[in-house]
Amino acid sequence: MLSTVTPDINDIISVVIEFLAELQEKTAAEVRADLEDGGAELPVDSLLIVEILTRIEERYSIAIPADRQSAQATRSVQAFARAVKEAINERQQP
């Protein structure tokens, strides 16, 4: 469901973590703790991010381009959230 409020990076990170938790059958708190153990960028298996890409695109009514920059963004939750935020900002421009 598309919201009229523009999410910030932390909102997007929370959504990504919720989706990762669903895929891994864990709680969001468990997933966040696991990711935080890997460092501040919250490194994640890029295949997991790819699995939730469609969900994120549907939730925010965006399209993440299939390019090198986007591929690099799948290396961590933080980087992925920044790519999502950029796509949202681009969608909102006239």
Side-chain angles (χ1 to χ4, degrees):
M1 174 188 237
L2 180 62
S3 172
T4 58
V5 176
T6 302
D8 66 18
I9 294 294
N10 290 325
D11 295 333
I12 297 167
I13 289 170
S14 292
V15 169
V16 171
I17 289 173
E18 286 174 26
F19 288 156
L20 288 169
E22 287 176 20
L23 287 171
Q24 296 176 343
E25 298 180 354
K26 294 182 176 181
T27 67
E30 290 171 320
V31 171
R32 184 177 288 275
D34 291 346
L35 294 171
E36 287 173 349
D37 285 344
E41 279 289 308
L42 306 176
V44 67
D45 179 342
S46 59
L47 291 177
L48 287 175
I49 289 291
V50 171
E51 288 186 38
I52 65 167
L53 178 60
T54 302
R55 291 183 188 190
I56 291 294
E57 288 179 330
E58 287 176 8
R59 180 173 182 125
Y60 294 113
S61 296
I62 59 170
I64 304 291
D67 58 17
R68 182 179 175 161
Q69 182 180 0
S70 296
Q72 290 174 339
T74 63
R75 295 183 182 171
S76 76
V77 174
Q78 290 274 354
F80 186 68
R82 288 190 297 270
V84 170
K85 178 71 172 158
E86 184 178 309
I88 291 169
N89 290 342
E90 288 175 6
R91 181 198 74 217
Q92 292 177 338
Q93 292 183 7

